[in-house]
């Protein structure tokens, strides 16, 4: 723990955010510097709570009270050692994680929880600044070669772990730069890309090989991968976006959210697009359909484009302002959340169904036809039923509609079909409890296996899958495990 009476003496404090009127002029990160002393004060709030539920709240099982204590004692090297033992990339999660650990914090029962996410970010940044993060090249190589297909957080975590175990790891990425969702899905104002590049430089120095513009199943043959590598880890994410099949879907001005976000991230990095391909929100009435994080990112990006107006609509009812009784502590609370993008300007609406995209004579989007929905109570255990409220149908001006309603499953055409992998009922790659697919030496992790989820879950999955691959290849492993006793290090595979 930190200071025994810290949680009684100090209140929760976070770094100040830059003025919304100023920050929409750039794509830099939103928060001001906090300082090591203030971080130490926040770490002092960590209680001697007996059973630290933050462990279970964190998908990585981060050892949170211990690194909080090290920060309070200003022992940053020890704090970094503890944190990096369970999380390969705290510099990412400390910026973009929704912090389920904080929702499970014991102090959060009757006080604001410990600022775990900010402490995590600070540990990572101090570790880089003081030189605690150094390339650790394996002393011995096993002679085994592993292909990791996909360079998002799951793929990078798997690659880092497998490389540390002594295997020769090659990461294949179909885009022109490494990072996957981190590179092209998350806006720079939440995660500047120098943070990603800094980590990639360390991994390259450690011996991980990165190949870009390498689309396995297209310009890289699946048979070559299977022949050249002893194991394959699929971490390509859930990339098939959920569509909205209503009249007018083919009008100019209706786009998937990820196309919009990916293009803007590419634009910042210097990529150029043909005029007919560019998606701009400038001087347009923008409607973001979908109320999640991706939708929020579209709001922030649209404001930076200088949209005429930004509206976000969600088909579900408005969440309660406080933690709902259906999600008691230490569960992730169902409640209304206002992001930094919403603070910059957005008209938010709930229980709205989109019925039609309306176009002009040139085939361009000019409005949406929407209606109010009414949620009816359902029997216990059943999903709430909803129906349109009569007389509420209306048109709202819109020249750019962005579909941010989630992702259904990974792309099947190409690699997955050629491998002949079994799929689950949702279309994700089906695996056993050891992350192994229906093809013995092929494993899967992250959104490709579990479905659309959080970056922190992707890192966790990559780490866990790497451990299973190591056992598959070597018959045993010394890689850390979150939920498995380290006594269980022997092979259960028939190779």
């Amino acid at each position: 723990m930190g200071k025994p009476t810290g949680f009684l003496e100090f209140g929760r404090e976070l770094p100040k955010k830059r003025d919304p009127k100023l920050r929409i002029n750039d794509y830099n990160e939103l928060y001001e510097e906090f300082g090591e002393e203030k971080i130490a004060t926040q770490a002092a709030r960590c209680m001697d709570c007996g059973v630290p539920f933050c462990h279970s709240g964190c998908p990585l099982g981060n050892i949170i009270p211990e690194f909080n204590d090290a920060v309070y004692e200003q022992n940053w090297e020890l704090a970094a050692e503890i944190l990096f033992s369970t999380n390969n990339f705290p510099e990412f999660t400390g910026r973009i994680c929704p912090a389920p650990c904080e929702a499970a914090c014991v102090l959060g029962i009757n006080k604001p929880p410990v600022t775990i996410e900010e402490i995590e970010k600070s540990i990572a940044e101090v570790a880089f600044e003081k030189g605690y993060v150094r390339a650790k090249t394996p002393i011995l190589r096993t002679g085994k070669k592993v292909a990791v297909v996909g360079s998002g957080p799951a793929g990078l975590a798997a690659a880092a772990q497998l490389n540390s175990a002594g295997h020769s790891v090659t990461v294949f990425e179909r885009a022109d730069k490494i990072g996957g969702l981190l590179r092209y899905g998350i806006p720079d104002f939440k995660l500047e890309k120098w943070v990603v590049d800094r980590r990639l430089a360390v991994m390259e120095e450690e011996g991980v090989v990165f190949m870009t513009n390498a689309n396995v199943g297209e310009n890289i043959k699946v048979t070559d991968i299977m022949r050249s590598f002893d194991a394959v880890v699929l971490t390509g994410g859930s990339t098939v976006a959920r569509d909205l099949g209503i009249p007018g879907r083919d009008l100019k001005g209706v786009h998937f959210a990820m196309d919009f976000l990916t293009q803007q991230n590419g634009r910042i990095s210097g990529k150029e697009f043909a005029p007919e391909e560019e998606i701009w929100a400038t001087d347009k009435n923008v409607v973001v359909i979908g109320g999640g994080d991706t939708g929020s990112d579209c709001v922030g990006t649209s404001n930076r484009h200088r949209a005429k107006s930004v509206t976000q609509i969600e088909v579900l009812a408005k969440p309660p302002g406080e933690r709902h009784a259906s999600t008691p502590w230490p569960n992730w609370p169902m409640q209304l959340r206002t992001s930094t993008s919403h603070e910059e300007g957005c008209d938010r609406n709930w229980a709205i169904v989109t019925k039609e995209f309306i176009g002009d004579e040139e085939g361009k989007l000019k409005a949406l036809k929407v209606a109010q929905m009414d949620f009816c109570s359902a029997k216990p255990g059943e999903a709430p039923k909803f129906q349109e409220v009569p007389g509420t149908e209306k048109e709202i001006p819109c020249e750019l509609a962005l579909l941010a309603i989630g992702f259904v499953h990974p792309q099947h055409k190409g690699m997955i079909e050629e491998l002949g992998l079994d799929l689950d009922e949702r279309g994700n790659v089906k695996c056993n409890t050891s992350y192994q697919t229906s093809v013995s030496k092929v494993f899967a992790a992250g959104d490709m296996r579990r479905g659309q989820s959080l970056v922190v879950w992707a890192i966790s999955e990559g780490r866990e899958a790497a451990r299973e691959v190591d056992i598959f290849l070597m018959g045993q492993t010394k890689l850390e495990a979150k939920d498995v006793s380290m006594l269980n290090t022997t092979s259960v595979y028939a190779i």
Side-chain angles (χ1 to χ4, degrees):
M1 60 180 296
K3 187 177 182 181
T5 57
F7 70 97
L8 297 172
E9 297 178 31
F10 309 121
R12 178 181 169 97
E13 184 181 0
L14 289 169
K16 292 181 179 179
K17 288 174 280 192
R18 296 162 57 213
D19 187 333
K21 294 180 181 179
L22 298 177
R23 70 189 190 222
I24 61 171
N25 295 315
D26 59 52
Y27 290 86
N28 299 330
E29 289 186 14
L30 309 173
Y31 293 95
E32 298 178 359
E33 292 295 323
F34 201 38
E36 293 182 16
E37 289 186 5
K38 286 191 174 183
I39 286 294
T41 299
Q42 291 304 300
R45 299 182 69 238
C46 188
M47 303 167 62
D48 183 11
C49 55
V51 179
F53 279 79
C54 53
H55 288 326
S56 59
C58 174
L60 286 160
N62 283 343
I63 311 169
I64 294 164
E66 283 78 357
F67 70 60
N68 281 340
D69 182 60
V71 169
Y72 172 65
E73 298 292 343
Q74 296 285 282
N75 190 340
W76 291 96
E77 188 169 12
L78 176 60
E81 181 182 344
I82 295 169
L83 178 55
F84 283 112
S85 72
T86 57
N87 184 355
N88 299 79
F89 313 123
E91 68 271 29
F92 302 159
T93 53
R95 287 172 164 85
I96 58 177
C97 185
C101 55
E102 294 185 14
C105 174
V106 174
L107 183 58
I109 295 175
N110 60 1
K111 288 180 178 288
V114 176
T115 57
I116 300 169
E117 183 182 19
E118 185 61 32
I119 294 170
E120 184 176 304
K121 173 189 171 184
S122 298
I123 294 171
E125 291 307 313
V126 171
F128 273 102
E129 179 185 336
K130 293 182 179 295
Y132 302 149
V133 179
R134 297 181 294 271
K136 298 178 181 178
T137 305
I139 298 174
L140 297 174
R141 288 289 179 183
T142 64
K144 302 292 186 180
K145 296 166 58 178
V146 182
V148 176
V149 184
S151 70
L156 293 180
Q161 290 295 96
L162 288 165
N163 182 71
S164 70
H167 307 304
S168 298
V169 181
T170 302
V171 179
F172 295 86
E173 169 56 55
R174 65 182 178 180
D176 62 334
K177 291 186 178 181
I178 296 294
L181 177 77
L182 301 168
R183 173 74 62 182
Y184 285 125
I186 298 171
D188 284 52
F189 54 80
K190 290 173 66 175
L191 177 66
E192 292 187 42
K193 303 316 169 213
W194 64 263
V195 179
V196 180
D197 292 333
R198 179 179 62 182
R199 173 57 64 179
L200 295 178
V202 174
M203 293 180 66
E204 284 188 301
E205 190 176 347
E206 291 174 334
V208 177
V209 176
F210 294 110
M211 294 187 64
T212 56
N213 298 305
N215 194 344
V216 177
E218 289 194 13
N219 62 339
I220 301 290
K221 292 182 179 179
V222 172
T223 52
D224 290 344
I225 294 289
M226 294 296 286
R227 182 175 58 251
S228 303
F229 293 90
D230 300 293
V232 179
V233 186
L234 307 182
T235 55
S238 181
T239 56
V240 177
R242 181 175 284 108
D243 209 343
L244 190 58
I246 59 175
R249 173 61 182 87
D250 58 347
L251 289 170
K252 298 174 183 177
V254 183
H255 299 276
F256 287 120
M258 197 52 65
D259 293 339
F260 177 65
L261 297 174
T262 297
Q263 190 176 102
Q264 180 56 43
N265 281 13
R267 192 178 287 121
I268 293 171
S269 69
K271 292 180 68 174
E272 296 183 356
F273 301 90
E276 64 273 11
E277 296 176 351
E278 288 199 309
I279 308 172
W280 285 99
T282 309
D283 295 328
K284 294 177 181 177
N285 294 295
V286 178
V287 178
V288 180
I289 302 174
D293 289 341
T294 302
S296 171
D297 293 343
C298 290
V299 170
T301 303
S302 296
N303 280 321
R304 284 161 177 75
H305 280 193
R306 296 295 189 271
K308 182 186 295 185
S309 69
V310 182
T311 302
Q312 187 174 25
I313 59 177
E314 167 62 56
V315 72
L316 298 177
K318 184 177 181 178
E322 302 293 335
R323 184 191 286 267
H324 192 265
S326 63
T327 54
W329 177 91
N331 294 312
W332 178 249
M334 185 187 78
Q335 66 184 76
L336 180 64
R337 292 176 174 82
T338 298
S339 73
T340 54
S341 292
H342 294 137
E343 294 171 356
E344 294 163 359
C346 176
D347 180 18
R348 304 172 72 184
N349 297 269
W350 289 267
I352 299 290
V353 63
T354 307
K355 302 181 66 176
E356 183 180 353
F357 298 110
I358 301 171
D360 61 18
E361 60 279 0
E362 297 180 359
K364 297 179 181 179
L365 180 67
K366 70 173 185 179
L368 300 186
K369 182 184 291 185
V370 300
Q372 194 76 35
M373 301 300 291
D374 182 30
F375 285 79
C376 307
S377 59
K379 296 179 181 179
E382 292 184 357
K385 300 177 182 178
F386 55 94
Q387 59 188 14
E388 182 179 331
V389 178
T392 61
E393 185 177 283
K394 63 179 181 179
E395 293 183 9
I396 56 176
C398 176
E399 294 83 44
L400 177 62
L402 299 171
L403 305 182
I405 49 180
F407 300 85
V408 291
H409 53 64
Q411 178 183 317
H412 296 159
K413 185 179 179 182
M415 177 180 64
I416 290 177
E417 289 183 351
E418 287 188 43
L419 285 168
L421 301 178
D422 290 346
L423 305 175
D424 65 17
E425 63 278 2
R426 295 184 298 160
N428 300 316
V429 175
K430 188 175 182 179
C431 297
N432 60 21
T433 56
S434 298
Y435 295 82
Q436 190 179 34
T437 71
S438 54
V439 177
S440 64
K441 74 174 186 177
V442 178
F443 295 73
D447 291 4
M448 183 169 271
R449 186 196 75 89
R450 67 178 283 120
Q452 178 187 354
S453 191
L454 303 174
V455 167
V456 66
W457 266 114
I459 296 172
S460 174
E461 292 247 327
R463 288 173 61 88
E464 297 298 306
R467 187 175 189 276
E468 297 297 336
V469 172
D470 192 31
I471 295 175
F472 172 78
L473 293 174
M474 306 304 294
Q476 59 184 358
T477 186
K478 292 184 178 180
L479 292 176
E480 299 87 349
K482 181 180 66 173
D483 295 323
V484 181
S485 168
M486 285 305 292
L487 297 175
N488 179 20
T489 61
T490 55
S491 176
V492 294
Y493 301 100
I495 303 177

